[in-house]
Amino acid sequence: MLQLPHQPLQVAAVPSQRTPAREDQAGPWHSEAVCRRDEAGLFFAPSKEPTAARLAREESAKRVCARCPVMIECQEHALIQPEPYGVWGGLTAAERRVVLARRRRREMELKASSASAGAAGRIAAAG
């Protein structure tokens, strides 16, 4: 992963100030994230990481995510932003791209079906 000199890896592991965090009595969701206690390198790939090492690291990160009380909030954050790197909410960047593509397809199908239903209703009312 390409690291910018002004943004250390640790900062990238948890949402920064740019993220509108959901606030509740306990504070922002990311304050409860289990990954805050783990090494950020587990969630973000070093440059030129071999495939087998990446897969093993991602599985380890997903195990951390699986026991996290804010996994869903983290996942939604990563999908909304969208976060281009790392494991967030138990999903890799590639898995998040698949989820986003499915959401877009589902939205388009819903729009198309509601447009079809609307047209059929107008035809029936006119007849």
Side-chain angles (χ1 to χ4, degrees), residues 94-127:
E95 291 166 336
R96 289 190 302 275
R97 285 191 294 273
V98 169
V99 169
L100 288 171
R102 285 179 181 159
R103 284 184 180 182
R104 282 191 296 272
R105 191 172 354 161
R106 193 168 35 240
E107 287 173 8
M108 292 178 71
E109 289 170 356
L110 288 172
K111 285 180 184 177
S113 66
S114 66
S116 296
R122 286 191 298 278
I123 292 170

Short mmCIF file of all heavy atoms in Angstrom, two decimals, residues 94-127:
data_model
loop_
_atom_site.label_atom_id
_atom_site.label_comp_id
_atom_site.label_asym_id
_atom_site.label_seq_id
_atom_site.Cartn_x
_atom_site.Cartn_y
_atom_site.Cartn_z
N ALA A 94 -11.61 -5.53 -1.98
CA ALA A 94 -12.25 -6.24 -3.10
C ALA A 94 -13.66 -6.67 -2.74
O ALA A 94 -14.59 -6.55 -3.56
CB ALA A 94 -11.41 -7.45 -3.52
N GLU A 95 -13.85 -7.16 -1.53
CA GLU A 95 -15.18 -7.58 -1.09
C GLU A 95 -16.12 -6.38 -0.99
O GLU A 95 -17.31 -6.49 -1.33
CB GLU A 95 -15.09 -8.30 0.25
CG GLU A 95 -14.40 -9.64 0.15
CD GLU A 95 -14.00 -10.23 1.49
OE1 GLU A 95 -13.81 -9.48 2.47
OE2 GLU A 95 -13.85 -11.46 1.56
N ARG A 96 -15.60 -5.24 -0.57
CA ARG A 96 -16.44 -4.03 -0.50
C ARG A 96 -16.86 -3.58 -1.89
O ARG A 96 -18.00 -3.14 -2.08
CB ARG A 96 -15.71 -2.91 0.25
CG ARG A 96 -15.57 -3.18 1.73
CD ARG A 96 -15.08 -1.96 2.49
NE ARG A 96 -13.82 -1.42 2.06
CZ ARG A 96 -12.63 -1.85 2.47
NH1 ARG A 96 -12.53 -2.85 3.33
NH2 ARG A 96 -11.52 -1.27 2.03
N ARG A 97 -15.97 -3.71 -2.86
CA ARG A 97 -16.34 -3.36 -4.23
C ARG A 97 -17.49 -4.23 -4.73
O ARG A 97 -18.40 -3.75 -5.40
CB ARG A 97 -15.13 -3.46 -5.16
CG ARG A 97 -14.14 -2.32 -4.99
CD ARG A 97 -13.08 -2.31 -6.10
NE ARG A 97 -12.21 -3.47 -6.06
CZ ARG A 97 -11.09 -3.56 -5.34
NH1 ARG A 97 -10.71 -2.56 -4.58
NH2 ARG A 97 -10.35 -4.65 -5.39
N VAL A 98 -17.47 -5.51 -4.38
CA VAL A 98 -18.55 -6.43 -4.78
C VAL A 98 -19.86 -6.00 -4.11
O VAL A 98 -20.91 -5.94 -4.76
CB VAL A 98 -18.20 -7.89 -4.42
CG1 VAL A 98 -19.40 -8.81 -4.57
CG2 VAL A 98 -17.03 -8.37 -5.25
N VAL A 99 -19.82 -5.69 -2.82
CA VAL A 99 -21.02 -5.26 -2.09
C VAL A 99 -21.58 -3.99 -2.72
O VAL A 99 -22.80 -3.88 -2.94
CB VAL A 99 -20.72 -5.05 -0.59
CG1 VAL A 99 -21.88 -4.37 0.11
CG2 VAL A 99 -20.40 -6.38 0.08
N LEU A 100 -20.71 -3.04 -3.02
CA LEU A 100 -21.17 -1.78 -3.63
C LEU A 100 -21.78 -2.02 -5.00
O LEU A 100 -22.80 -1.42 -5.34
CB LEU A 100 -20.02 -0.78 -3.71
CG LEU A 100 -19.58 -0.19 -2.38
CD1 LEU A 100 -18.29 0.61 -2.55
CD2 LEU A 100 -20.67 0.66 -1.77
N ALA A 101 -21.18 -2.89 -5.79
CA ALA A 101 -21.73 -3.20 -7.11
C ALA A 101 -23.11 -3.84 -6.98
O ALA A 101 -24.03 -3.51 -7.74
CB ALA A 101 -20.78 -4.12 -7.88
N ARG A 102 -23.26 -4.75 -6.02
CA ARG A 102 -24.57 -5.39 -5.80
C ARG A 102 -25.61 -4.37 -5.35
O ARG A 102 -26.76 -4.42 -5.79
CB ARG A 102 -24.46 -6.50 -4.76
CG ARG A 102 -23.79 -7.73 -5.28
CD ARG A 102 -23.67 -8.79 -4.21
NE ARG A 102 -22.99 -9.95 -4.74
CZ ARG A 102 -22.40 -10.86 -4.00
NH1 ARG A 102 -22.40 -10.76 -2.68
NH2 ARG A 102 -21.80 -11.88 -4.55
N ARG A 103 -25.21 -3.46 -4.48
CA ARG A 103 -26.14 -2.42 -4.03
C ARG A 103 -26.58 -1.54 -5.19
O ARG A 103 -27.76 -1.23 -5.32
CB ARG A 103 -25.51 -1.55 -2.94
CG ARG A 103 -25.45 -2.20 -1.60
CD ARG A 103 -24.92 -1.25 -0.56
NE ARG A 103 -24.87 -1.87 0.75
CZ ARG A 103 -24.48 -1.25 1.84
NH1 ARG A 103 -24.10 0.01 1.80
NH2 ARG A 103 -24.47 -1.89 3.00
N ARG A 104 -25.63 -1.14 -6.03
CA ARG A 104 -25.98 -0.31 -7.20
C ARG A 104 -26.92 -1.05 -8.13
O ARG A 104 -27.91 -0.49 -8.61
CB ARG A 104 -24.71 0.11 -7.94
CG ARG A 104 -23.97 1.25 -7.28
CD ARG A 104 -22.88 1.81 -8.20
NE ARG A 104 -21.85 0.84 -8.49
CZ ARG A 104 -20.77 0.64 -7.75
NH1 ARG A 104 -20.57 1.33 -6.65
NH2 ARG A 104 -19.87 -0.26 -8.11
N ARG A 105 -26.63 -2.34 -8.38
CA ARG A 105 -27.49 -3.15 -9.26
C ARG A 105 -28.89 -3.27 -8.67
O ARG A 105 -29.89 -3.13 -9.38
CB ARG A 105 -26.87 -4.52 -9.47
CG ARG A 105 -27.53 -5.35 -10.56
CD ARG A 105 -26.75 -6.60 -10.82
NE ARG A 105 -25.58 -6.47 -10.03
CZ ARG A 105 -24.71 -7.38 -9.61
NH1 ARG A 105 -24.78 -8.47 -9.93
NH2 ARG A 105 -23.70 -7.20 -8.87
N ARG A 106 -28.98 -3.53 -7.37
CA ARG A 106 -30.28 -3.66 -6.71
C ARG A 106 -31.05 -2.36 -6.78
O ARG A 106 -32.26 -2.35 -7.04
CB ARG A 106 -30.07 -4.11 -5.26
CG ARG A 106 -31.31 -4.58 -4.58
CD ARG A 106 -31.07 -5.29 -3.25
NE ARG A 106 -29.96 -4.75 -2.48
CZ ARG A 106 -28.88 -5.45 -2.12
NH1 ARG A 106 -28.73 -6.69 -2.48
NH2 ARG A 106 -27.93 -4.89 -1.40
N GLU A 107 -30.38 -1.23 -6.56
CA GLU A 107 -31.05 0.08 -6.66
C GLU A 107 -31.58 0.32 -8.06
O GLU A 107 -32.71 0.81 -8.22
CB GLU A 107 -30.08 1.20 -6.27
CG GLU A 107 -29.79 1.26 -4.79
CD GLU A 107 -28.70 2.27 -4.45
OE1 GLU A 107 -28.28 3.04 -5.37
OE2 GLU A 107 -28.26 2.28 -3.30
N MET A 108 -30.79 -0.04 -9.07
CA MET A 108 -31.23 0.14 -10.45
C MET A 108 -32.42 -0.76 -10.76
O MET A 108 -33.37 -0.33 -11.44
CB MET A 108 -30.08 -0.13 -11.42
CG MET A 108 -28.99 0.93 -11.34
SD MET A 108 -27.62 0.59 -12.43
CE MET A 108 -28.36 0.93 -14.01
N GLU A 109 -32.40 -2.00 -10.26
CA GLU A 109 -33.52 -2.91 -10.48
C GLU A 109 -34.79 -2.39 -9.79
O GLU A 109 -35.88 -2.48 -10.36
CB GLU A 109 -33.17 -4.31 -9.96
CG GLU A 109 -32.15 -5.02 -10.81
CD GLU A 109 -31.62 -6.30 -10.17
OE1 GLU A 109 -31.99 -6.61 -9.02
OE2 GLU A 109 -30.83 -6.99 -10.83
N LEU A 110 -34.63 -1.85 -8.59
CA LEU A 110 -35.80 -1.31 -7.88
C LEU A 110 -36.37 -0.10 -8.62
O LEU A 110 -37.59 0.03 -8.74
CB LEU A 110 -35.43 -0.92 -6.45
CG LEU A 110 -35.20 -2.09 -5.49
CD1 LEU A 110 -34.65 -1.58 -4.16
CD2 LEU A 110 -36.50 -2.85 -5.27
N LYS A 111 -35.49 0.76 -9.12
CA LYS A 111 -35.97 1.91 -9.88
C LYS A 111 -36.68 1.47 -11.14
O LYS A 111 -37.72 2.00 -11.50
CB LYS A 111 -34.80 2.83 -10.23
CG LYS A 111 -34.29 3.63 -9.07
CD LYS A 111 -33.13 4.50 -9.49
CE LYS A 111 -32.56 5.25 -8.30
NZ LYS A 111 -31.38 6.05 -8.66
N ALA A 112 -36.12 0.48 -11.82
CA ALA A 112 -36.73 -0.01 -13.06
C ALA A 112 -38.08 -0.66 -12.78
O ALA A 112 -39.04 -0.44 -13.52
CB ALA A 112 -35.79 -1.01 -13.74
N SER A 113 -38.16 -1.45 -11.70
CA SER A 113 -39.43 -2.10 -11.40
C SER A 113 -40.48 -1.10 -10.94
O SER A 113 -41.65 -1.24 -11.27
CB SER A 113 -39.25 -3.21 -10.37
OG SER A 113 -38.87 -2.68 -9.13
N SER A 114 -40.07 -0.08 -10.21
CA SER A 114 -41.06 0.92 -9.77
C SER A 114 -41.51 1.77 -10.97
O SER A 114 -42.67 2.16 -11.05
CB SER A 114 -40.51 1.79 -8.65
OG SER A 114 -39.44 2.58 -9.11
N ALA A 115 -40.60 2.02 -11.91
CA ALA A 115 -40.99 2.75 -13.12
C ALA A 115 -41.96 1.93 -13.96
O ALA A 115 -42.94 2.45 -14.48
CB ALA A 115 -39.76 3.11 -13.94
N SER A 116 -41.71 0.61 -14.05
CA SER A 116 -42.61 -0.28 -14.80
C SER A 116 -43.97 -0.35 -14.15
O SER A 116 -45.00 -0.31 -14.81
CB SER A 116 -42.02 -1.68 -14.89
OG SER A 116 -40.83 -1.66 -15.62
N ALA A 117 -43.98 -0.44 -12.83
CA ALA A 117 -45.25 -0.51 -12.10
C ALA A 117 -46.03 0.79 -12.25
O ALA A 117 -47.25 0.78 -12.42
CB ALA A 117 -45.00 -0.81 -10.63
N GLY A 118 -45.31 1.90 -12.22
CA GLY A 118 -45.96 3.20 -12.40
C GLY A 118 -46.57 3.34 -13.77
O GLY A 118 -47.69 3.84 -13.94
N ALA A 119 -45.86 2.88 -14.80
CA ALA A 119 -46.37 2.95 -16.17
C ALA A 119 -47.58 2.04 -16.33
O ALA A 119 -48.56 2.43 -16.97
CB ALA A 119 -45.27 2.56 -17.16
N ALA A 120 -47.54 0.86 -15.74
CA ALA A 120 -48.67 -0.06 -15.84
C ALA A 120 -49.89 0.52 -15.12
O ALA A 120 -51.02 0.39 -15.62
CB ALA A 120 -48.30 -1.42 -15.22
N GLY A 121 -49.67 1.19 -14.02
CA GLY A 121 -50.78 1.82 -13.30
C GLY A 121 -51.40 2.94 -14.10
O GLY A 121 -52.62 3.11 -14.12
N ARG A 122 -50.60 3.72 -14.78
CA ARG A 122 -51.11 4.82 -15.61
C ARG A 122 -51.90 4.28 -16.79
O ARG A 122 -52.94 4.82 -17.17
CB ARG A 122 -49.95 5.71 -16.08
CG ARG A 122 -49.40 6.60 -14.97
CD ARG A 122 -48.44 7.65 -15.54
NE ARG A 122 -47.26 7.07 -16.19
CZ ARG A 122 -46.16 6.64 -15.59
NH1 ARG A 122 -46.08 6.72 -14.27
NH2 ARG A 122 -45.15 6.15 -16.28
N ILE A 123 -51.42 3.18 -17.37
CA ILE A 123 -52.13 2.57 -18.52
C ILE A 123 -53.48 2.02 -18.05
O ILE A 123 -54.49 2.22 -18.70
CB ILE A 123 -51.28 1.47 -19.17
CG1 ILE A 123 -50.05 2.11 -19.86
CG2 ILE A 123 -52.09 0.63 -20.15
CD1 ILE A 123 -49.02 1.12 -20.33
N ALA A 124 -53.50 1.35 -16.90
CA ALA A 124 -54.74 0.79 -16.39
C ALA A 124 -55.74 1.89 -16.04
O ALA A 124 -56.94 1.76 -16.28
CB ALA A 124 -54.46 -0.07 -15.16
N ALA A 125 -55.26 3.00 -15.50
CA ALA A 125 -56.14 4.11 -15.11
C ALA A 125 -56.71 4.80 -16.34
O ALA A 125 -57.85 5.28 -16.33
CB ALA A 125 -55.37 5.12 -14.25
N ALA A 126 -55.94 4.83 -17.42
CA ALA A 126 -56.39 5.50 -18.64
C ALA A 126 -57.38 4.63 -19.42
O ALA A 126 -58.18 5.14 -20.19
CB ALA A 126 -55.20 5.82 -19.55
N GLY A 127 -57.31 3.31 -19.22
CA GLY A 127 -58.12 2.39 -20.01
C GLY A 127 -59.47 2.27 -19.52
O GLY A 127 -60.54 2.55 -19.85
#
